[in-house]
Amino acid sequence: MRGIPWHIFLVFLLVACQSEPAIPVRLSESLLPSTALRVSLEADGPWIWSFDRRLEPKEDIRMNASLLRWLERQTGLRFRLWITPRGQSVADEICAGRVHFGIVGTVTYLQAYHRCGARILVRGRNREGRDTYRAAIVVPPDSPIRDLADLRGRSFAFGSPNSTQGHLIPRLMLQRAGLRVHDLRAYAFHESHAATANAVISGRYDAGGLQDTLALALAERGLVRILALSEPYPSSGIIAGPGVPEKTARMVQEALLALDPAGRDQASLYHWERSEMPLGFVLARDEEYADLYRIAREIGMLEP
């Protein structure tokens, strides 16, 4: 039966309303013809993968499914892609045993690590080849605020509560400056980095926390002034749940470390340059996230 191809099916749950039924999606139809998944019936698995949503759903599916197709060729394992329903997180799915691997941001990883011992295998390299990212705290260009200590008694715009660069790292930056949220006059969370930037640019908030790349671009245009940049922190990556055998996790890890998405493997992937790890992966260890884990636990980001 080695030469017999078969199709993997997704269960694509888009729950814009609670009554919407599950929609099965044939993976070969959701991908370009050249990237339809084909696996061996004798391969180990299937291992279920999910991901933090970033793009339009169909694009997320195509991008992540193309990576799984590549991984199948490299490892001989079988994989299925699972779309986490709205209202649930990848950490929820991994700790419930419904998902084995996740392509996730730092906060999702820390939540899964805290709740059920999920472990990180690799983390991504950005367009500059770095496997770290930073956050920035910004103010309007003409603001009288000159350092982080001046934020006491001021208003602050955070990003999403589960955002690493929009919330977690800015909270750590404030803490190291001797400030807690109760030292601020007011604070609020926003659904995106763009919304946070608008809150500061419009003058509705005295300061805000942003991803470094957006902050630098806005500062170059004179729309904000960067009050402080954080030190680099380890970036997003791929995690394995507690039920994944060590041998399987090692096979996946070694394959991902060999991935060359901007070179020899580019043709196998669907627009991987749009991902948070466009230049591939480096080895990651749980202990490298200790500072972020500490502050995330302290401010209640790790509880269900």
Side-chain angles (χ1 to χ4, degrees):
M1 299 178 67
R2 180 176 299 275
I4 300 176
W6 67 295
H7 298 292
I8 295 176
F9 288 86
L10 300 175
V11 178
F12 185 9
L13 296 179
L14 292 179
V15 286
C17 61
Q18 292 183 349
S19 60
E20 184 174 355
I23 304 173
V25 178
R26 187 184 295 272
L27 194 57
S28 60
E29 293 175 354
S30 67
L31 299 174
L32 296 178
S34 62
T35 57
L37 286 183
R38 295 179 179 273
V39 297
S40 167
L41 289 174
E42 297 181 2
D44 188 21
W47 301 100
I48 311 302
W49 283 65
S50 193
F51 54 88
D52 282 344
R53 297 169 184 255
R54 292 190 64 252
L55 306 174
E56 187 272 332
K58 195 170 184 179
E59 293 299 285
D60 273 335
I61 291 172
R62 288 175 168 175
M63 182 185 299
N64 288 286
S66 70
L67 177 65
L68 297 192
R69 173 184 177 272
W70 180 87
L71 274 172
E72 286 182 331
R73 292 202 309 268
Q74 302 302 311
T75 65
L77 301 172
R78 289 187 297 155
F79 300 105
R80 288 181 184 169
L81 194 61
W82 173 261
I83 313 305
T84 299
R86 293 195 184 277
Q88 298 291 315
S89 72
V90 178
D92 295 331
E93 301 289 78
I94 282 181
C95 290
R98 291 186 290 268
V99 168
H100 303 113
F101 293 92
I103 305 176
V104 299
T106 299
V107 171
T108 300
Y109 152 61
L110 292 174
Q111 290 171 339
Y113 171 80
H114 177 75
R115 295 179 196 173
C116 62
R119 58 200 187 277
I120 192 159
L121 303 179
V122 295
R123 65 173 182 261
R125 296 171 59 218
N126 64 19
R127 288 173 178 79
E128 289 73 44
R130 294 193 296 268
D131 60 331
T132 58
Y133 50 26
R134 299 182 296 173
I137 291 178
V138 301
V139 296
D142 57 354
S143 171
I145 298 171
R146 294 299 165 190
D147 57 38
L148 292 179
D150 291 340
L151 292 175
R152 188 178 301 274
R154 304 282 188 163
S155 60
F156 197 96
F158 290 105
S160 163
N162 280 339
S163 170
T164 304
Q165 292 170 288
H167 181 209
L168 180 59
I169 297 177
R171 286 287 291 270
L172 182 57
M173 295 169 72
L174 292 176
Q175 186 183 97
R176 288 181 171 173
L179 298 174
R180 309 282 178 158
V181 289
H182 64 256
D183 295 316
L184 301 170
R185 177 173 57 80
Y187 65 92
F189 296 105
H190 296 76
E191 63 181 10
S192 67
H193 290 289
T196 301
N198 287 333
V200 175
I201 293 170
S202 67
R204 289 184 287 118
Y205 286 84
D206 295 316
L210 293 176
Q211 59 183 193
D212 56 342
T213 52
L214 177 58
L216 290 165
L218 294 174
E220 187 175 342
R221 295 169 57 190
L223 296 174
V224 300
R225 173 165 50 86
I226 294 178
L227 188 66
L229 275 172
S230 76
E231 61 184 89
Y233 289 97
S235 61
S236 305
I238 294 181
I239 63 175
V244 177
E246 181 61 33
K247 178 181 178 182
T248 302
R250 184 72 58 89
M251 290 173 67
V252 170
Q253 182 184 59
E254 290 177 354
L256 290 170
L257 290 172
L259 178 68
D260 183 10
R264 66 175 181 273
D265 299 315
Q266 185 175 19
S268 299
L269 303 173
Y270 178 82
H271 285 301
W272 196 252
E273 74 280 0
R274 299 178 186 172
S275 75
E276 290 188 289
M277 49 274 297
L279 295 186
F281 301 96
V282 300
L283 185 66
R285 300 178 179 85
D286 295 317
E287 56 267 25
E288 295 171 318
Y289 294 78
D291 282 347
L292 294 179
Y293 176 78
R294 178 187 60 78
I295 185 66
R297 186 174 185 179
E298 181 177 312
I299 64 180
M301 295 179 71
L302 303 183
E303 301 308 318

